[in-house]
Amino acid sequence: MRSWRTAVLPPLLAIAFAAVLSSVALLISGADPLEAFGTMGAQLFKGTTAVDTVNLATVYYLAGLAVAIGFQMNLFNIGVEGQYRFAAVVAAIVGGALALPPVLHTLAILVVAVFSGAFYALLPAILKVTRGVSEVITTIMLNSIVFGIVAFLINPDQFGVLQGNNVSTKEIEPSGWIPGIPLGDAGTLFGAVLLAAAVGAAYWFMLNRTRFGFELRASGESPTAAAAGGVSAKKMTMTAMLLSGAVAGLIAMPELLGRDHVYAMTATQGYGFTGIAVALLGRNHPAGIALGALLWAFLDKSAVSLEQIQVPREIATIIQGTIVLSVVVAYEIVKRADLAAEQRRVGRASRNGRPATVAEGGAV
Amino acid sequence: MRRMRGGTLAAIAMAGVLTLAGCAKDSGNEGQAAGDGGGEGNCITAQAPPAPESSQRESEAQGDVDASDLRVGLAFDVGGRGDASFNDAAAAGVDRAKEEMGVGKTTESTAAGTESEDAKQQRLTQMANQGFDPIIAVGFAYAEALKAVAPRFPDTNFAIVDDNSVEAPNVTPLVFAEEQGSFLAGVAAVYKSKNCHIGFVGGVDTPLIEKFEAGYVQGAQAVSDNVEIERDYLTPAGDISGFNDPGKGNVVAKSQIDKGADVVYHAAGASGKGVFEAAKSGGAMAIGVDSDQYEQKTLSGVRDVIITSMLKRVDVAVYDYIRAVAQDDLGSLPERFDLSVDGVGYATSGGKIDDIVPVLEGYKKQIIDGKITVSDTVSG
């Protein structure tokens, strides 16, 4: 039973609790919480911060979706981190080597990214299905291995190019870029925002409107019941893991095709881990993940903005940590409160001398 | 998240143990071989160049410069103030400028390890919007961000440490001849080595750190034909943890010492502490990097093993840059901070290399005069 209360209340509670806790931290460090929160809000109206926030949220959204697909099947794909970095470096190399007409070039890069991401998730999937090896262990190990793979591939002896003291892949020709949406002084929105929205919509459609989505959720909630219903758990695990990897392959694409055009040694890491937090915040719901991604990106931007009023950037990290922690707790509390309320309702109804109706929560 | 981190750590630790086991197996034989081969006395095969009569230090024109209307912005790389390495050196340069030239307001901002590229742009833009000028970006990771931001603020002066790939009229590169300083470190290492066997520990396998390795190897080989050199990096390119992992530094340095190396030079940032500890427990010597590590408080427990440090004077470069901005004379800055302008050098604190200072000065003179050219890439 999922009322609006169970869906909306916990995140709001969590954010409020995080705000209180970080106010305490701010007071202890000698800063004015109101000024700090004011600065965080005001940053959105300054320069390109608002657009930058949406751009970053695009990346986080894809990461959140990739993790959420696994969560639906009770798979903890920590390997999103490794999968997206592997896909990014392979796509950047292939994209830099290809010479194709505009739209085709971009599509080719995206396809390479999707397949590379899925490929990097293939080994954990096979091990899980055939040997029952925990995907948590295998994907963590593959996350470490990807460091070596990226370092090897972008080495100037292989596919890399030396740029000053940095090493990166060869630059992708403009035909392979995803054009941005210029918004004047406010900055340039990644064209990939639309891509992310499309992936989100596809995710929602797959889960709620297809047989596959139903089977996926069913096997996630009760593998035995699903098996009794004729759903092959192995097939589901395999597909979910590969889909998760495929979406993970897209994570780096907004930045690669929209801004950087190369994958460098200094490219950002950790989007996969952020994706876990974002998926948790969004409760695996496509709209929830979008809000979680925006919130997370906003807090990341705040870390830099807060420094102009001499507030340490760690405050933003404290807020992020508290939110994740309290979201989990808040869901549990609201769930129990709901359950208790329901029991009372059923109890009241049965004291009236008749069994509770289905609408009141009684048995069918 | 917590559990996952723990898992990662465990995995890394396990890999580390495996590596260690592998090394330990090798080390027995290798150590013996080195012991047999490298006797005392026959290590140094090259004649030391004559020491210059007087060590010619350029006395800087120390006119009073008033920089009180400058507002300096300092954008740090990961680590920030207090990293005991190049961020700290940059901070020291600004602090000195404050004291001696009365620089007005300053601001600082530090990069996070996992931040997105546009956070760097945001940081620089924010400082420029607040009216800071000049703005100094510490570390080549800022190159891309600076390329985007600098053209938008044509009236603001920017400088970037360790990068010369940004081509904009208002961006000044502050780059160093790390290979020249490391050359002298290599010379010192061979002169001090008893086994004729030395080591190099790099933090992360990047082109920048390879410059240190290249200079060190060339310096050692200029002095001796039969020196053995161990070379290891803690992490591959892209994994910046190698600059902040004393445990790994310790393990790698220990394996080098077990193989027979008795002087180890590190270019590994905060991981260097582990290298020094390995040297102390293994009865070896070590060479520090970037700043005079013998004098660093955090290393006071292991300072006995630090015979010298390769100095990379980020502080000097930052100070000179601020001074040049104040005098509106950016043309006076050297294209590269090398031995000739004391942009790199070596430290003598502790007195462990006092006996070979004439030799080092001799090589230094030869490099400055162009008789020795130090390549910045590793050969072989």
Side-chain angles (χ1 to χ4, degrees), chain A residues 176-203:
Chain A
W177 301 359
I178 298 181
I181 304 164
L183 295 174
D185 284 344
T188 307
L189 198 64
F190 283 157
V193 168
L194 302 174
L195 172 77
V199 175
Y203 168 82

Side-chain angles (χ1 to χ4, degrees), chain A residues 116-141:
Chain A
S116 313
F119 171 76
Y120 208 64
L122 182 64
L123 186 66
I126 291 176
L127 283 173
K128 170 96 181 169
V129 169
T130 57
R131 284 278 167 270
V133 181
S134 165
E135 76 283 0
V136 176
I137 307 287
T138 46
T139 55
I140 285 179
M141 289 195 165

Side-chain angles (χ1 to χ4, degrees), chain A residues 251-343:
Chain A
I251 293 174
M253 293 304 113
E255 296 189 336
L256 180 69
L257 303 182
R259 189 187 66 209
D260 300 341
H261 315 306
V262 295
Y263 194 77
M265 182 177 80
T266 47
T268 315
Q269 300 159 14
Y271 288 151
F273 298 133
T274 307
I276 298 175
V278 168
L280 276 176
L281 278 184
R283 299 299 282 176
N284 302 333
H285 190 281
I289 297 172
L291 291 175
L294 281 168
L295 178 66
W296 207 266
F298 168 74
L299 290 172
D300 271 355
K301 291 280 138 199
S302 305
V304 181
S305 296
L306 281 174
E307 287 191 329
Q308 62 186 326
I309 55 164
Q310 272 69 52
V311 170
R313 60 175 306 126
E314 282 72 18
I315 288 293
T317 317
I318 291 179
I319 301 180
Q320 288 175 332
T322 338
I323 288 183
V324 172
L325 200 64
S326 33
V327 147
V328 176
V329 177
Y331 271 114
E332 197 55 36
I333 292 174
V334 173
K335 205 173 98 189
R336 287 192 188 173
D338 262 12
L339 204 65
E342 213 167 304
Q343 282 169 347

Side-chain angles (χ1 to χ4, degrees), chain A residues 3-21:
Chain A
S3 66
W4 67 271
R5 263 202 325 181
T6 19
V8 178
L9 206 55
L12 289 181
L13 275 178
I15 291 171
F17 182 63
V20 171
L21 208 72

Side-chain angles (χ1 to χ4, degrees), chain A residues 43 49 52 56 78 140 147 151 162 165-167 255 259 265-266 268-269 271 273 301 304-305 307-308 313, chain B residues 1 4 8 107 109-110 112 114-119 122-123 126 130 140 162 206-208 236-239:
Chain A
Q43 64 168 344
T49 316
D52 286 346
L56 187 58
I78 295 177
I140 285 179
F147 276 115
L162 199 60
N165 275 326
N166 207 343
V167 199
E255 296 189 336
R259 189 187 66 209
M265 182 177 80
T266 47
T268 315
Q269 300 159 14
Y271 288 151
F273 298 133
K301 291 280 138 199
V304 181
S305 296
E307 287 191 329
Q308 62 186 326
R313 60 175 306 126
Chain B
M1 291 271 282
M4 162 205 86
T8 319
T107 188
S109 176
T110 304
T114 56
E115 73 181 13
S116 155
E117 181 70 28
D118 54 355
Q122 188 191 358
R123 184 170 296 119
Q126 190 168 294
Q130 287 180 279
F140 64 83
D162 277 351
T206 65
L208 181 63
D239 181 359

Side-chain angles (χ1 to χ4, degrees), chain A residues 40-77:
Chain A
M40 286 167 67
Q43 64 168 344
L44 290 179
F45 306 100
K46 272 196 203 150
T48 59
T49 316
V51 172
D52 286 346
T53 305
V54 177
N55 284 346
L56 187 58
T58 309
V59 175
Y60 290 170
Y61 185 55
L62 289 169
L65 285 179
V67 176
I69 293 174
F71 276 158
Q72 293 288 359
M73 175 70 217
N74 263 342
L75 285 172
F76 196 4
N77 182 9

Side-chain angles (χ1 to χ4, degrees), chain B residues 3-29:
Chain B
R3 226 174 53 194
M4 162 205 86
R5 287 266 163 79
T8 319
L9 283 182
I12 291 169
M14 228 150 72
V17 169
L18 288 176
T19 325
L20 182 58
C23 291
K25 236 183 241 168
D26 293 347
S27 64
N29 316 335

